[in-house]
Amino acid sequence: MFGTPLAWVLARTEIPGRSLLRGLVLLPMVLPPVVGGVALLSAFSRRSLIGTWLFDAFGLQLTFTTAGAIVAETFVAMPFFVITVEGALRGMDQRFEQVAGTLGAGRVTVFRRVTLPLIAPSLAAGTVLAWARALGEFGATITFAGNVAGRTRTLPLAVYLQLEGDRDSAIALSLVLLAVSLVVLVALRDRWLARA
Amino acid sequence: MSVDAAVSLQLGTFDLAVELAVPAGSVTAVLGPNGAGKSTLLRAIAGLVACEGGRIAIDGTVVDDPSTRTFVVPERRRVGVVFQDYLLFPHLTALENVAFGPRARGTSKAEARADAARWLAAMGLEEQARTKPRHLSGGQAQRVALARALATAPRLLLLDEPLAALDAGTRIEVRRDLRRHLAAFAGATILVTHDPLDALALADRVVVLEQGQVTQAGPIAEVTRRPRSEHVARLIGTNLLRGTTAGDRLLVDGAELTVVGQHTGPVFATIAPSAVALHREAPSGSPRNQWLGRIDSIDLLGDRIRVRLTGPLGIVAEVTPAAVAELGLVEGDEVWAAVKATEIEVYAE
């Protein structure tokens, strides 16, 4: 939802500071996730400016909540989606959009009926890739959203916890994660390589 | 349903400056070599690039005029475009491609599809309605692209090299069909091509574009009979000379020819290659123009042979293979060229 417009802005517009924006969007890809968590914490905690405003205005608290876990994982996984979709938007033949224009389609119609269908494979690939990355998220989640059972305890956090007590279930959970990730990457392989 | 265009914009290393008026129901061909600015002209009229100067009006409505900051976006110009490689939407079937325009203009889905089916039927493509573009042949794709452009009921139809992507066999058939559809279209049509055959077969008038400038414009017959540039002369396969006249004398690059009639001042003259006779010995008799030239190249063209001569007058002669064999012509030989005065068409510059 954020990713597609962001990718569009990066691929198609000529706004000043576009490379800076891209740098910021892709930053979580190279940043240690813990650092990302610290950054989110200082931005959205109840003691920070935005966090206070969010809580006062909407009663919304991000830290140590499920919403917070989602924000943390989006933050870390988004670059994978953006980079895939941006590549597709740059790679597609923009003349198709021009044809649609001459046929009387406004910009919204062009985007919905021509652009999106043409980049659909990359949208799917980006989504799955980002989802797979989010699945394995550990650092940013534990730093920002904590490790609250039933609310922000994600699979990798559970693995880490189980390792202390019940080693067997930790291994079982790890195997589940391993299998899911492998399936995703195998399914994506052709598409991902074809784009790159 | 007419168009008046004066387009001027910077195009790489040269400026495009074209004035063009196409009345409703007529077809104008823009003829020129690759890179002359033909496609850019079409894109400007369609609204895909903005003019830097000039003014474009469709049906008297100004759609682009930089001096008053008027610019109408493509989707509001009601201009149908058939692109060189057709650009059918690969994710839609032939029918959905044709229905796209009516749908985008707010027609209901059922109505748009019925409309599209009628257009495909008119093109003889009922069977291909549910086919995706990648499974269509070149000729079929061309017809779908034409149907898609016409289904929006455009005021103006723009065709960019509509036959260039087709092989020779299909081209003749598609050209004939295209001629029929253009005759049925009530609006103005502008056709961009580098092939004079397309222009001859499809257009009423021709505008010759070279290096972004119009070098000649007029009815097809007039342009082919009296070319005004090397390029046009080469396209239609005739010799174009540029010289000055005094009475029945024509001076070209230091050579002097006798022509029919009385003329004065700078003129163009054409000599059909088939009117140039070649001889080993200086000919005697009726042809009054003769000179010694050197054979630069010999090319087979269908069942005729084109012999290019250099010398006082560079000229192309078209002779039979038998004549070449009989005279034993090879490149580098010196031969006599002879042209009757009556074969030289002279017209003012």
Side-chain angles (χ1 to χ4, degrees), chain A residues 30-56:
Chain A
V30 290
L31 210 61
V34 182
V35 177
V38 171
L40 284 172
L41 202 58
S42 37
F44 293 109
S45 83
R46 290 276 309 272
R47 264 171 288 167
S48 74
L49 209 63
I50 308 175
T52 315
W53 175 77
L54 272 179
F55 189 71
D56 291 346

Side-chain angles (χ1 to χ4, degrees), chain A residues 25-26 28-30 74-86 122 125-131 133-134 192:
Chain A
V25 169
L26 299 188
M29 229 171 158
V30 290
T74 309
F75 180 75
V76 172
M78 179 107 88
F80 290 86
F81 180 81
V82 172
I83 208 167
T84 311
V85 175
E86 188 194 343
S122 297
T127 307
V128 174
L129 209 60
W131 179 78
R133 176 69 187 84
W192 183 248

